[in-house]
Amino acid sequence: RKEQELDSKDAIILHQFSRPNNGVPSLSPFCLKMETYLRMADLPYQNYFDGKLSPQGKMPWIEYNHKKVSGTEFIIDFLEEKLGVNLNKHLGPHERAVSRAVTKMVEEHFYWTLAYCQWVENLHETQKMVSLFGPFSDLLKWILCHLTKGIVKREMYGHGIGRFSEEEMYTLMEKDMRTLAGLLGDKKYIMGPTVSTVDATVFGHLAQAMWTLPGTRPERLIKGELINLAMYCERIRRKFWPEWHHDDDNTLYESEESSEASKTYSPLQDFSFYSRTETFDEEGNSISQTPDTDYTGHSLFDSDVDMDDYRDHEQCK
């Protein structure tokens, strides 16, 4: 591929993996976390799906005013310093400490059990979601996915969690998910009624269980016993990802109002070409799409999901 020089003057350029072909923004919890954060903070950005890792070998990473920053925690710190954004300004010292503890549990523990489920146990289904094109795309996807499987197993072993049995790893995963469900309770977001940075982290990971692991134990758990986590994911998806829509959405997670609003959604023809502002595809072409309203002129960001709707549903049953 011909190298492209990007002008990052006063522009956030987000480098991440290509969109998968199942309508989900990313199979990477960290890429989904970073892009969701940018939307939560209402920061204009440009996607660049070049597959090129950062100098530290990380993905995602950003360029801003010709400075490269990798690692989602460092990217967020950098953007807060340079642009003055802060999703945590409403949190007190204790809440900030809890928020960081939850973030580390999710990123340093829960992440690895998700990676095992995605790239080891459920590899066949994950391979179907990977988006590659060309005459040898099937072979390349097989090679890529099996290489990733080997890397994940090796890194999990080095981490220590990969030295346990599969059943033990799933036990750890369920403990993490139950902890998140207990912490969330009937609140709108993890730390209360207002979104904060930890929500981007938690959503980026739970979304994998919700939408990329069909038939697996984490999917059954989040859509069954831990229904408040499923409603939480739907709440964030509808508010910050209005163009991310599935024809097979489960109405159990919807209020009557949001269910009606969802019928007016217009899914993008090519999801890989979307960002809040402008997106570069892999060939360097610029495409502008900002679907903030439906055909009636109503904002797609207004729909929401409330816990009261689920409690009413349970009483009816």
Side-chain angles (χ1 to χ4, degrees), residues 21-22 27 117-118 120-130 145 212-216:
N21 57 24
N22 65 333
L27 295 176
C117 196
Q118 272 186 317
V120 180
E121 189 202 19
N122 209 43
L123 182 65
H124 181 67
E125 290 297 323
T126 302
Q127 183 175 324
K128 295 178 183 178
M129 301 176 194
V130 173
C145 289
T212 73
L213 297 171
T216 61

Side-chain angles (χ1 to χ4, degrees), residues 199-215:
D199 291 300
T201 303
V202 174
F203 174 74
H205 288 73
L206 286 180
Q208 307 303 319
M210 184 83 174
W211 290 294
T212 73
L213 297 171

Side-chain angles (χ1 to χ4, degrees), residues 77-272:
D77 289 345
F78 173 81
L79 294 175
E80 287 182 352
E81 178 185 351
K82 295 294 183 181
L83 302 177
V85 297
N86 189 349
L87 294 180
N88 298 330
K89 60 185 177 182
H90 63 286
L91 301 180
H94 175 75
E95 292 173 311
R96 290 172 185 258
V98 172
S99 178
R100 179 165 177 78
V102 172
T103 297
K104 293 302 109 179
M105 179 194 76
V106 170
E107 294 185 344
E108 304 297 338
H109 195 266
F110 181 48
Y111 164 76
W112 290 109
T113 56
L114 276 177
Y116 176 84
C117 196
Q118 272 186 317
W119 297 103
V120 180
E121 189 202 19
N122 209 43
L123 182 65
H124 181 67
E125 290 297 323
T126 302
Q127 183 175 324
K128 295 178 183 178
M129 301 176 194
V130 173
S131 180
L132 285 178
F133 302 97
F136 303 106
S137 59
D138 290 339
L139 175 62
L140 290 175
K141 282 200 292 187
W142 187 92
I143 294 172
L144 173 65
C145 289
H146 281 77
L147 283 174
T148 303
K149 174 182 177 179
I151 293 171
V152 167
K153 291 180 71 174
R154 183 175 69 247
E155 292 189 350
M156 287 183 69
Y157 190 86
H159 176 277
I161 199 170
R163 306 185 187 212
F164 297 112
S165 68
E166 180 179 293
E167 186 60 33
E168 288 170 327
M169 282 190 282
Y170 276 116
T171 297
L172 296 174
M173 170 186 278
E174 290 187 9
K175 285 184 177 181
D176 288 343
M177 293 180 71
R178 292 181 196 280
T179 298
L180 291 172
L183 181 63
L184 176 64
D186 61 358
K187 299 193 300 293
K188 189 173 184 179
Y189 300 112
I190 294 295
M191 302 308 297
T194 306
V195 72
S196 58
T197 302
V198 70
D199 291 300
T201 303
V202 174
F203 174 74
H205 288 73
L206 286 180
Q208 307 303 319
M210 184 83 174
W211 290 294
T212 73
L213 297 171
T216 61
R217 289 170 63 172
E219 187 204 47
R220 292 195 298 269
L221 190 61
I222 196 173
K223 293 182 178 180
E225 180 183 345
L226 306 181
I227 195 70
N228 65 328
L229 294 182
M231 298 174 71
Y232 168 80
C233 287
E234 282 287 356
R235 187 176 302 124
I236 292 178
R237 186 187 78 161
R238 292 183 181 279
K239 185 172 181 63
F240 298 105
W241 292 90
E243 81 287 5
W244 173 5
H245 176 61
H246 292 280
D247 292 335
D248 60 347
D249 282 345
N250 192 329
T251 56
L252 173 62
Y253 313 126
E254 301 172 349
S255 66
E256 182 177 347
E257 178 183 358
S258 65
S259 179
E260 289 299 317
S262 70
K263 295 177 183 178
T264 63
Y265 285 9
S266 179
L268 297 179
Q269 294 299 311
D270 189 339
F271 200 84
S272 65

Side-chain angles (χ1 to χ4, degrees), residues 64-80:
Y64 181 76
N65 283 338
H66 307 291
K67 182 174 177 59
K68 300 177 181 180
V69 186
S70 68
T72 56
E73 183 173 357
F74 292 116
I75 292 173
I76 291 172
D77 289 345
F78 173 81
L79 294 175
E80 287 182 352

